[in-house]
């Protein structure tokens, strides 16, 4: 179950404890402690909402799973993103500020890879349901022999139309395979380049 960052911030145990303490202090000690405590509680909620680690976790949880073909490659890219995030948050604040553009660029790259994989999902689904090209080529060869053996012009025309549609289907399947292979190559390249950055 994906929880919103607001729910995480509001129901954080420290925030709940602060809110309860604020109410009790306002009721039992002095009324002016309630608005001060409420202000501190709001600051704590905003800090949790703006925490980069929470935002990264939220982004990772909100991503829908990809097709099996792309999921493993994308997970390698995502692991590098997490590793780089952890590495950048363990350095001094001056270095962190200097390296923040790297983190931002990496986040953008990972998002672009994710959207590319999502955009390729319909093609992957088509690829999974399409018949093998070899079988269509065999059917095409059979159609060629039927065309040569046909004596009636109408039958020959129908066979030629069928052959043309099979050729178009073969070309579509090959084109889809080429596009999917290009995406595989892009993801592998991005993954190896990011591992080099680490």
């Amino acid at each position: 179950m994906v929880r919103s960052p607001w729910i995480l911030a509001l129901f954080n145990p420290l925030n709940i404890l602060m809110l309860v303490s604020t109410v009790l202090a306002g009721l039992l000690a002095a009324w002016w402690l309630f608005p001060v405590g409420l202000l501190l509680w709001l600051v704590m909620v905003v800090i949790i909402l703006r925490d980069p680690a929470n935002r990264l976790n939220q982004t990772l949880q909100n991503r829908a799973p990809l097709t099996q073909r792309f999921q493993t490659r994308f997970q390698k890219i995502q692991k590098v993103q997490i590793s780089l995030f952890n590495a950048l948050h363990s350095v001094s604040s001056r270095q962190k500020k200097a390296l923040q553009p790297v983190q931002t660029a990496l986040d953008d790259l990972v998002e672009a890879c994710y959207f590319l994989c999502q955009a390729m999902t319909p093609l992957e689904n088509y690829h999974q349901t399409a018949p093998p090209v070899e079988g269509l080529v065999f059917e095409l060869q059979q159609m060629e022999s039927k065309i040569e053996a046909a004596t009636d012009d109408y039958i020959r025309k129908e066979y030629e139309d069928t052959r043309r549609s099979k050729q178009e289907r073969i070309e579509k399947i090959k084109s889809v395979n080429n596009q999917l292979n290009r995406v595989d190559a892009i993801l592998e390249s991005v993954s190896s380049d990011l591992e080099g950055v680490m």
Side-chain angles (χ1 to χ4, degrees), residues 11-108:
F11 290 103
N12 184 295
L14 286 176
N15 289 351
I16 291 174
L17 182 64
M18 181 64 181
L19 186 61
V20 169
S21 300
T22 298
V23 170
L24 289 176
L27 289 174
L28 300 177
W31 68 269
W32 58 268
L33 289 175
F34 179 73
V36 171
L38 196 58
L39 184 64
L40 289 173
W41 175 76
L42 284 173
V43 168
M44 290 173 67
V45 168
V46 169
I47 287 172
I48 289 179
L49 279 175
R50 297 187 67 205
D51 182 31
N54 286 341
R55 287 193 310 209
L56 180 63
N57 286 336
Q58 194 65 35
T59 302
L60 297 179
Q61 288 176 359
N62 286 339
R63 286 185 181 140
L66 299 169
T67 61
Q68 186 176 5
R69 177 179 191 141
F70 300 128
Q71 186 67 37
T72 53
R73 287 178 180 87
F74 182 74
Q75 281 177 337
K76 285 170 50 176
I77 294 170
Q78 196 168 263
K79 282 180 186 174
V80 173
Q81 178 189 24
I82 294 168
S83 298
L84 189 62
F85 177 85
N86 292 335
L88 288 179
H89 281 78
S90 64
V91 298
S92 69
S93 60
R94 195 181 85 218
Q95 290 173 328
K96 190 186 302 183
K97 188 179 255 186
L99 294 173
Q100 185 58 40
V102 174
Q103 180 71 47
T104 305
L106 178 63
D107 292 344
D108 292 343

